[in-house]
Amino acid sequence: EDQVTQSPEALRLQEGESSSLNCSYTVSGLRGLFWYRQDPGKGPEFLFTLYSAGEEKEKERLKATLTKKESFLHITAPKPEDSATYLCAVQATGGSYIPTFGRGTSLIVHP
Amino acid sequence: DGGITQSPKYLFRKEGQNVTLSCEQNLNHDAMYWYRQDPGQGLRLIYYSQIVNDFQKGDIAEGYSVSREKKESFPLTVTSAQKNPTAFYLCASREISGITGELFFGEGSRLTVL
């Protein structure tokens, strides 16, 4: 059974204080790992897809990395507008197109 | 603009009533999904459909029903058999033919049982 564990559950940062969110996963074969951002009362918004260990992707202050067991979402010099819940999901190889989601990390960035 | 539209955004239901949540997409995606989100629980899959007139149960299908009569529409009915229906419901779609497979989500529907 595919499993995704995100840590920490909640993270409070001061503006400009860089940090990382973790997504550990167990899957028989990885087709892709996804990061989403979700604002309160809204649907998740896609950020990145990572396919293989060693891959990195960046978008503004966010950088996602992938190893064979986990992914990190690095946030550099965060701003209050980066406050949101960040969700990680994995897509296994095989016929199913059902991603498995983690429970998310709630990030609050204080000015 | 292309996207997914969910309605209503807020819905109140009395116990014993069935309610239907609408989900429409104009992205021409084959697959559509319904998720339920509760605080601290993450996203749990209710039903999904990969082709018109076909759908499969997800992890928490009991008390819910769906239909997929058109490619762009995937309504969810929350029946009176669902014991704890108060939650945030998310509809999503994706293209399944390509390598990338990110989900596109609607804005969600919040259902409250009075």
Side-chain angles (χ1 to χ4, degrees):
Chain A
E1 181 182 339
D2 302 335
Q3 289 189 331
V4 178
T5 303
Q6 291 188 245
S7 61
E9 289 185 12
L11 181 62
R12 293 178 179 269
L13 299 173
Q14 289 297 125
E15 184 171 3
E17 180 185 3
S18 300
S19 188
S20 297
L21 312 182
N22 178 263
C23 172
S24 297
Y25 65 91
T26 302
V27 65
S28 54
L30 183 67
R31 182 186 294 274
L33 184 141
F34 307 91
W35 282 99
Y36 295 86
R37 169 193 170 124
Q38 185 177 23
D39 293 306
K42 304 284 188 181
E45 177 184 348
F46 170 73
L47 292 173
F48 305 109
T49 307
L50 301 168
Y51 297 104
S52 57
E55 188 175 2
E56 299 182 352
K57 288 192 175 176
E58 290 187 63
K59 180 180 181 180
E60 298 182 353
R61 294 177 292 282
L62 301 177
K63 178 180 177 180
T65 63
L66 181 65
T67 72
K68 289 186 178 180
K69 294 183 178 181
E70 58 191 350
S71 176
F72 291 95
L73 185 64
H74 306 278
I75 304 177
T76 302
K79 298 181 178 181
E81 54 262 42
D82 294 321
S83 298
T85 295
Y86 291 86
L87 299 171
C88 173
V90 296
Q91 176 74 59
T93 56
S96 170
Y97 291 93
I98 309 302
T100 300
F101 281 85
R103 297 187 175 190
T105 293
S106 174
L107 172 66
I108 297 176
V109 181
H110 296 284
Chain B
D1 287 354
I4 298 179
T5 301
Q6 289 187 239
S7 63
K9 188 171 179 63
Y10 299 97
L11 184 62
F12 298 89
R13 187 195 94 175
K14 294 182 180 180
E15 286 192 21
Q17 287 183 334
N18 293 353
V19 294
T20 297
L21 308 181
S22 170
C23 178
E24 303 279 333
Q25 56 102 354
N26 60 4
L27 299 167
N28 199 35
H29 286 168
D30 295 304
M32 297 187 75
Y33 306 78
W34 274 105
Y35 288 92
R36 171 176 171 145
Q37 189 174 35
D38 296 282
Q41 293 272 9
L43 297 179
R44 293 186 290 169
L45 183 65
I46 304 173
Y47 269 98
Y48 68 100
S49 168
Q50 298 188 105
I51 194 171
V52 174
N53 292 323
D54 188 47
F55 47 83
Q56 284 78 43
K57 293 181 179 180
D59 300 319
I60 56 166
E62 184 175 354
Y64 301 97
S65 66
V66 294
S67 63
R68 186 87 186 276
E69 298 177 359
K70 299 184 297 183
K71 186 175 183 177
E72 59 269 25
S73 179
F74 192 41
L76 173 74
T77 296
V78 184
T79 75
S80 56
Q82 169 50 235
K83 298 187 186 309
N84 185 21
T86 294
F88 189 53
Y89 292 89
L90 287 163
C91 179
S93 71
R94 64 181 284 184
E95 179 55 61
I96 62 175
S97 61
I99 296 176
T100 57
E102 68 268 22
L103 293 174
F104 292 78
F105 286 88
E107 290 287 275
S109 293
R110 185 168 297 281
L111 172 63
T112 302
V113 173
L114 303 174

Coordinates of all heavy atoms in Angstrom, one line a residue, chain B residues 3 5 13 15-16 19 26 39 43-44 48 52 58 61 66 68 72 76 85 93 95-96 108:
Chain B
G3 N -11.0 25.5 -16.7 CA -10.9 25.2 -15.3 C -12.1 24.3 -14.8 O -12.8 23.7 -15.6
T5 N -15.4 24.1 -12.2 CA -16.3 24.9 -11.5 C -17.2 24.0 -10.6 O -17.8 23.0 -11.0 CB -17.3 25.6 -12.4 OG1 -16.5 26.5 -13.3 CG2 -18.3 26.5 -11.6
R13 N -27.6 21.4 4.9 CA -28.6 20.3 4.7 C -29.1 19.8 6.1 O -28.4 19.8 7.1 CB -27.8 19.1 4.1 CG -28.7 17.9 3.7 CD -27.9 16.7 3.4 NE -27.8 15.8 4.5 CZ -27.3 14.6 4.5 NH1 -26.7 14.2 3.4 NH2 -27.2 13.9 5.6
E15 N -30.7 16.8 8.4 CA -30.5 15.4 8.5 C -31.6 14.7 7.7 O -32.7 15.0 7.8 CB -30.5 14.9 9.9 CG -29.2 15.3 10.6 CD -29.1 14.6 12.0 OE1 -29.7 13.6 12.2 OE2 -28.3 15.1 12.8
G16 N -31.2 13.6 7.0 CA -32.2 12.9 6.2 C -32.4 13.3 4.8 O -33.1 12.7 4.0
V19 N -28.3 15.6 -1.0 CA -27.9 16.8 -1.6 C -26.9 16.5 -2.8 O -26.2 15.5 -2.6 CB -27.2 17.8 -0.7 CG1 -28.2 18.4 0.3 CG2 -26.0 17.2 0.0
N26 N -14.1 22.3 -18.2 CA -13.9 22.6 -19.6 C -12.5 22.4 -20.1 O -12.0 23.1 -21.0 CB -14.5 23.9 -19.9 CG -13.7 25.0 -19.2 OD1 -12.7 24.8 -18.5 ND2 -14.2 26.3 -19.3
P39 N -10.5 18.4 8.7 CA -9.3 18.9 9.4 C -8.4 17.8 9.9 O -8.8 16.8 10.5 CB -9.9 19.7 10.5 CG -11.2 20.1 10.1 CD -11.7 18.9 9.2
L43 N -6.7 14.5 2.1 CA -7.7 14.3 1.1 C -8.0 12.8 1.0 O -7.1 11.9 0.9 CB -7.1 14.7 -0.3 CG -6.8 16.2 -0.4 CD1 -6.3 16.5 -1.8 CD2 -8.1 17.0 -0.2
R44 N -9.3 12.5 1.1 CA -9.7 11.1 1.0 C -10.6 10.9 -0.2 O -11.5 11.7 -0.4 CB -10.4 10.6 2.3 CG -9.5 10.6 3.5 CD -10.3 10.0 4.7 NE -11.3 10.9 5.2 CZ -12.2 10.6 6.1 NH1 -12.2 9.3 6.6 NH2 -13.0 11.5 6.5
Y48 N -14.1 8.0 -8.4 CA -13.4 8.6 -9.5 C -13.9 7.9 -10.8 O -14.5 6.9 -10.8 CB -11.9 8.4 -9.4 CG -11.4 6.9 -9.5 CD1 -10.9 6.4 -10.6 CD2 -11.4 6.1 -8.3 CE1 -10.4 5.1 -10.7 CE2 -11.0 4.8 -8.4 CZ -10.5 4.3 -9.6 OH -10.0 3.0 -9.6
V52 N -16.5 8.3 -19.6 CA -17.9 8.5 -19.5 C -18.6 7.2 -19.3 O -18.2 6.2 -19.8 CB -18.4 9.2 -20.8 CG1 -19.9 9.3 -20.8 CG2 -17.8 10.6 -21.0
G58 N -13.9 4.9 -4.4 CA -12.7 5.2 -3.7 C -12.7 4.6 -2.3 O -13.4 3.6 -2.0
A61 N -16.5 5.5 -0.2 CA -17.7 5.7 -1.1 C -19.0 5.5 -0.4 O -20.1 5.9 -0.9 CB -17.6 4.7 -2.2
V66 N -22.5 8.8 -7.5 CA -22.0 9.7 -8.6 C -22.6 9.3 -9.9 O -23.2 8.2 -10.1 CB -20.5 9.8 -8.8 CG1 -19.8 10.4 -7.5 CG2 -19.9 8.4 -9.0
R68 N -21.6 9.8 -14.4 CA -20.7 10.4 -15.4 C -21.4 10.3 -16.8 O -20.9 9.5 -17.6 CB -19.3 9.8 -15.4 CG -18.3 10.5 -16.3 CD -17.6 11.6 -15.6 NE -16.8 12.4 -16.5 CZ -15.5 12.1 -16.8 NH1 -15.0 11.0 -16.3 NH2 -14.8 12.9 -17.5
E72 N -17.7 16.3 -19.3 CA -17.4 17.5 -18.6 C -18.0 17.6 -17.2 O -17.8 18.5 -16.5 CB -17.7 18.7 -19.4 CG -19.2 18.8 -19.8 CD -19.5 18.2 -21.1 OE1 -18.7 17.3 -21.6 OE2 -20.5 18.6 -21.8
L76 N -21.8 14.8 -7.6 CA -21.7 13.9 -6.4 C -23.0 14.1 -5.6 O -23.3 15.3 -5.2 CB -20.5 14.3 -5.6 CG -20.4 13.6 -4.2 CD1 -20.0 12.1 -4.4 CD2 -19.3 14.3 -3.3
P85 N -21.7 13.8 7.1 CA -21.4 14.4 5.8 C -20.8 15.8 5.9 O -20.3 16.3 4.9 CB -22.8 14.5 5.2 CG -23.7 14.6 6.3 CD -23.1 13.8 7.4
S93 N -9.8 17.1 -11.8 CA -9.7 16.4 -13.0 C -8.3 16.3 -13.5 O -7.4 17.0 -13.0 CB -10.6 17.1 -14.1 OG -10.0 18.3 -14.5
E95 N -5.6 14.9 -17.1 CA -5.5 14.3 -18.4 C -4.7 13.0 -18.1 O -3.6 13.0 -17.4 CB -4.7 15.2 -19.3 CG -4.4 14.6 -20.7 CD -5.7 14.1 -21.3 OE1 -6.6 14.9 -21.6 OE2 -5.8 12.9 -21.6
I96 N -5.1 11.8 -18.6 CA -4.4 10.6 -18.3 C -3.6 10.1 -19.4 O -2.9 9.0 -19.3 CB -5.4 9.5 -17.8 CG1 -6.4 9.2 -18.9 CG2 -6.1 10.0 -16.6 CD1 -7.4 8.1 -18.6
G108 N -13.9 24.0 -4.4 CA -14.5 23.3 -3.2 C -15.9 23.7 -2.9 O -16.4 24.7 -3.2

